[in-house]
Amino acid sequence: MTQSRRQEMAVGLIALAVLTGCAQAPTEQLQAVQHSVDEARAAGAPDYAKYDFVQLEQQLAFAKHELTRQDNVLSIFRSYADAEKMLITIAESAGPVAAKAAQNKIAAKTAVLAMGEEAGRVVDSAKALIAKVPTGNERAAVDTIQRDIEELETSFNAVHLLIEMGDYVGAEVQAKAVKENGAAVSREIQRALDNSKEIKRNG
C-alpha cells in the first residue's frame, strides 16, 4: 500500500468517527495519525522539512492533550469532536510534509556532492602547494602543515562517508569545515613559501 493511500485511509477513518459519534476515544485514528507522523520522520522531515515537522508534532501533542482532557471528563459531557478534527488536520498534513522532506533531501544530496568536490579540490590544492616549500629552514612549519593536511584528508573522507550514510546535513557541515580549514592551511603554506623566498634572498 502506498503512503498516499495510507494517508487517505487515515483521513477517512477519522472522518467516519466524527460522523458516527464522539463518545468513544478515537484510539485507532490516533494510531493511524501517529503512523503517518512516523513516516514523515522516516522520510527525513526533522532535517529536511524541519519547520513543517515541528508544527506537525506540536499539532499531534495538542490532539493528545485534548484526548487526555476528555478522558478525564464525566462520560455524559465527554466529546472527542475537537480532538478528532485535529487528527484529521494532522493526517492531511503528514503526507505533504513527508513528500517535501523527500524532495529537499534529494536537493541537499545534489548540493553536498558539489560541495564535496569543492572540498576535494581545496585539499588537492594544499597538497600541491606544500610540495613547493623547501624543507630546510621551514622544516618545523612544513611538518606542522603536513599534519594539518592529513587531518584535512581525514575530514574529507568523512564527508564521503556521511554522504553514503544519507546524512547530507552532516556532510554539508563537514564539507564546509574542510573548505574553511583548507583555505587556512593554504594561507599557512603560502606564508612558509614567502618566508623561504625571503631567507633565500637575504642569504
Side-chain angles (χ1 to χ4, degrees), residues 22-68:
C22 302
Q24 291 292 105
T27 304
E28 292 183 4
Q29 297 92 315
L30 176 60
Q31 290 175 348
V33 167
Q34 182 66 65
H35 183 69
S36 298
V37 173
D38 290 342
E39 284 190 328
R41 180 182 290 105
D47 290 322
Y48 303 101
K50 186 175 181 179
Y51 176 76
D52 301 275
F53 188 71
V54 167
Q55 285 191 316
L56 203 63
E57 288 195 310
Q58 288 177 341
Q59 291 171 353
L60 182 57
F62 291 150
K64 288 180 177 179
H65 175 75
E66 176 61 17
L67 288 169
T68 300

Side-chain angles (χ1 to χ4, degrees), residues 2-22:
T2 65
Q3 180 176 320
S4 60
R5 180 57 180 160
R6 285 195 292 269
Q7 297 290 343
E8 291 174 2
M9 291 183 64
V11 173
L13 185 63
I14 299 168
L16 179 63
V18 172
L19 292 174
T20 56
C22 302

Side-chain angles (χ1 to χ4, degrees), residues 125-137:
S125 176
K127 290 168 67 176
L129 199 57
I130 192 65
K132 298 178 181 180
V133 181
T135 58
N137 295 322

Side-chain angles (χ1 to χ4, degrees), residues 55-175:
Q55 285 191 316
L56 203 63
E57 288 195 310
Q58 288 177 341
Q59 291 171 353
L60 182 57
F62 291 150
K64 288 180 177 179
H65 175 75
E66 176 61 17
L67 288 169
T68 300
R69 193 175 72 84
Q70 291 301 323
D71 287 341
N72 295 322
V73 172
L74 288 174
S75 58
I76 58 174
F77 300 114
R78 187 176 300 156
S79 173
Y80 293 101
D82 289 342
E84 287 168 336
K85 289 176 183 177
M86 292 180 190
L87 293 176
I88 289 176
T89 299
I90 299 166
E92 291 174 338
S93 301
V97 171
K100 181 178 181 180
Q103 291 176 345
N104 288 346
K105 189 172 184 178
I106 291 173
K109 179 180 180 180
T110 301
V112 80
L113 284 172
M115 188 175 293
E117 290 180 359
E118 291 179 20
R121 287 193 289 271
V122 168
V123 174
D124 290 341
S125 176
K127 290 168 67 176
L129 199 57
I130 192 65
K132 298 178 181 180
V133 181
T135 58
N137 295 322
E138 294 297 321
R139 166 57 66 183
V142 169
D143 288 344
T144 299
I145 294 170
Q146 191 64 54
R147 287 193 293 271
D148 291 339
I149 291 176
E150 290 172 0
E151 291 179 4
L152 279 177
E153 289 184 301
T154 299
S155 297
F156 178 66
N157 291 335
V159 173
H160 285 285
L161 180 60
L162 289 168
I163 290 174
E164 290 176 3
M165 294 169 59
D167 183 2
Y168 306 125
V169 173
E172 180 182 4
V173 172
Q174 189 75 10

Side-chain angles (χ1 to χ4, degrees), residues 132-134 137-138 189-203:
K132 298 178 181 180
V133 181
N137 295 322
E138 294 297 321
I189 297 172
Q190 190 59 55
R191 276 195 288 270
L193 278 169
D194 293 341
N195 289 339
S196 178
K197 290 177 183 178
E198 184 67 24
I199 292 171
K200 186 174 181 180
R201 281 197 299 268
N202 295 333

